[in-house]
Structure formats: structure tokens, C-alpha cells
């Protein structure tokens, strides 16, 4: 298995849009109302929104490919791009998604390690993320990697308020 990791740029916006929508729906469509899902993906993954995020100097997107096929992606935020004010010593993993057909192959851990490397490159002490309180598999995965719950924040899906656990890992 050949795994490659590349940073995204404006030329990747259509591919990023497709993988973003596909993986978000694969992960959450069974737990949310269809109209809320459609409204969310139309906004969050609109090409103008993605271009804005791609061009933010403190946000970075990365693709992971397996044998030349796009398998998932990672988005990290630093400084003023973070969705919560966690300070200048922190890096946020805002999105980490693997296509279902590529899950259980170690790619989630691979992307996490890449995020840790980005944090170290920018001299960030803490890495944090938000995870839906009902996503037990993801919570257990993050705990195995040394993350601990340090707070909560609201995530809105349509007119529903959902709670995300904020989980943080301090890098050594």
C-alpha cells in the first residue's frame, strides 16, 4: 500500500468539496435529518467557503491518497483560524475524515500523526479537536492517542444544537 500526503491548494477545491461532502454524509447522515444535512453541506462545502478557508494563512488542508486514490483529508487551524480561542500554543484539528472504503487501514492514525507533525513544525504545544458526544468510536480512538476531554462546545445542525466534546492532547 502506497500512502501519500499532500497539502491542498486552490486547484484542489472541487476534489476537496466532493470528498468533504461524501465523508461528512457517510459519517453523519444516519443520525441527522436529511434537510439539515443538505443545508449544512451546501454551506460548509460551498466552493466559495472552501476557497476562503484554503486561502486563510492559518488554515491548512491535506489529502491522503492510497495507491493514487483519494482516501480522505485533514484540516488544521492555528491562531485566529481556530473555531474556539484556544490560544497561540494550540493547533485545532477541525476535520479529519477517511472514506468508509478506506477505514480500518490505519489512515486515521496516519493523519493524526501528520497533524502532530504540523503542530511541532509551528511549535504548538497542544492539539485539540471537537468530536460529537455520540460518536463513541471516534472518542475512543482519540483517547487511545492520548486526548482527554477538556470542555464542550455547541455544533448546530439546522435548528438542532448538538454538543461536541473538546478533546486536547499536549505534545511532548
Amino acid at each position: 500500500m502506497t500512502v501519500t500526503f499532500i497539502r491542498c491548494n486552490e486547484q484542489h477545491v472541487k476534489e476537496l468539496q466532493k470528498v468533504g461532502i461524501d465523508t461528512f454524509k457517510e459519517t453523519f447522515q444516519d443520525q441527522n435529518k436529511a434537510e439539515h444535512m443538505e443545508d449544512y453541506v451546501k454551506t460548509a462545502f460551498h466552493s466559495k467557503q472552501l476557497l476562503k478557508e484554503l486561502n486563510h494563512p492559518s488554515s491548512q488542508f491535506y489529502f491522503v491518497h492510497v495507491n493514487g486514490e483519494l482516501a480522505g483529508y485533514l484540516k488544521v487551524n492555528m491562531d485566529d483560524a481556530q473555531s474556539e480561542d484556544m490560544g497561540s500554543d494550540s493547533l485545532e484539528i477541525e476535520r479529519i475524515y477517511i472514506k468508509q472504503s478506506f477505514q480500518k487501514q490505519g489512515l486515521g492514525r496516519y493523519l493524526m500523526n501528520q497533524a502532530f507533525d504540523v503542530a511541532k513544525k509551528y511549535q504548538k504545544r497542544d492539539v485539540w479537536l471537537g468530536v460529537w458526544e455520540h460518536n463513541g468510536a471516534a472518542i475512543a480512538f482519540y483517547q487511545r492517542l492520548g486526548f482527554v476531554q477538556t470542555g464542550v462546545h455547541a455544533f448546530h445542525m439546522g435548528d438542532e444544537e448538538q454538543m461536541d466534546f473538546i478533546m486536547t492532547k499536549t505534545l511532548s
Side-chain angles (χ1 to χ4, degrees):
M1 176 168 81
T2 303
V3 178
T4 56
F5 182 71
I6 64 161
R7 185 165 174 187
C8 301
N9 59 42
E10 288 183 0
Q11 295 173 333
H12 298 111
V13 71
K14 289 296 180 193
E15 198 173 14
L16 181 59
Q17 182 179 46
K18 179 167 179 20
V19 72
I21 291 170
D22 290 350
T23 56
F24 192 83
K25 285 183 174 181
E26 284 177 350
T27 305
F28 298 112
Q29 70 184 356
D30 292 341
Q31 296 91 15
N32 290 281
K33 295 177 185 174
E35 62 271 18
H36 291 171
M37 288 292 294
E38 288 306 314
D39 288 344
Y40 179 82
V41 298
K42 281 181 188 175
T43 302
F45 299 105
H46 190 281
S47 59
K48 287 182 182 177
Q49 178 63 32
L50 291 174
L51 283 169
K52 178 181 170 187
E53 294 175 26
L54 279 164
N55 288 314
H56 193 294
S58 295
S59 291
Q60 299 174 12
F61 286 89
Y62 297 90
F63 285 149
V64 61
H65 290 89
V66 174
N67 299 329
E69 187 177 344
L70 180 58
Y73 77 107
L74 169 72
K75 181 188 182 203
V76 298
N77 298 317
M78 295 170 277
D79 304 320
D80 65 331
Q82 296 178 87
S83 61
E84 295 282 339
D85 183 6
M86 300 295 275
S88 62
D89 287 342
S90 296
L91 176 133
E92 174 188 17
I93 298 173
E94 184 179 357
R95 297 184 190 141
I96 181 168
Y97 287 98
I98 304 294
K99 291 180 180 180
Q100 282 183 348
S101 59
F102 288 96
Q103 291 180 1
K104 308 293 184 201
Q105 298 180 31
L107 295 175
R109 184 175 297 269
Y110 176 84
L111 285 181
M112 292 299 287
N113 287 332
Q114 297 299 322
F116 299 154
D117 288 347
V118 171
K120 290 173 187 171
K121 175 181 176 183
Y122 289 95
Q123 300 174 336
K124 305 301 180 185
R125 182 191 66 217
D126 297 319
V127 176
W128 71 278
L129 51 81
V131 58
W132 188 32
E133 66 181 330
H134 298 295
N135 192 344
I139 292 168
F141 171 68
Y142 300 138
Q143 288 172 331
R144 284 192 304 275
L145 293 175
F147 284 82
V148 294
Q149 184 182 344
T150 56
V152 294
H153 69 183
F155 178 85
H156 292 89
M157 179 66 70
D159 59 2
E160 295 178 14
E161 182 177 81
Q162 300 176 359
M163 296 309 296
D164 281 357
F165 292 152
I166 294 175
M167 299 187 75
T168 304
K169 175 183 173 91
T170 298
L171 301 175
S172 53

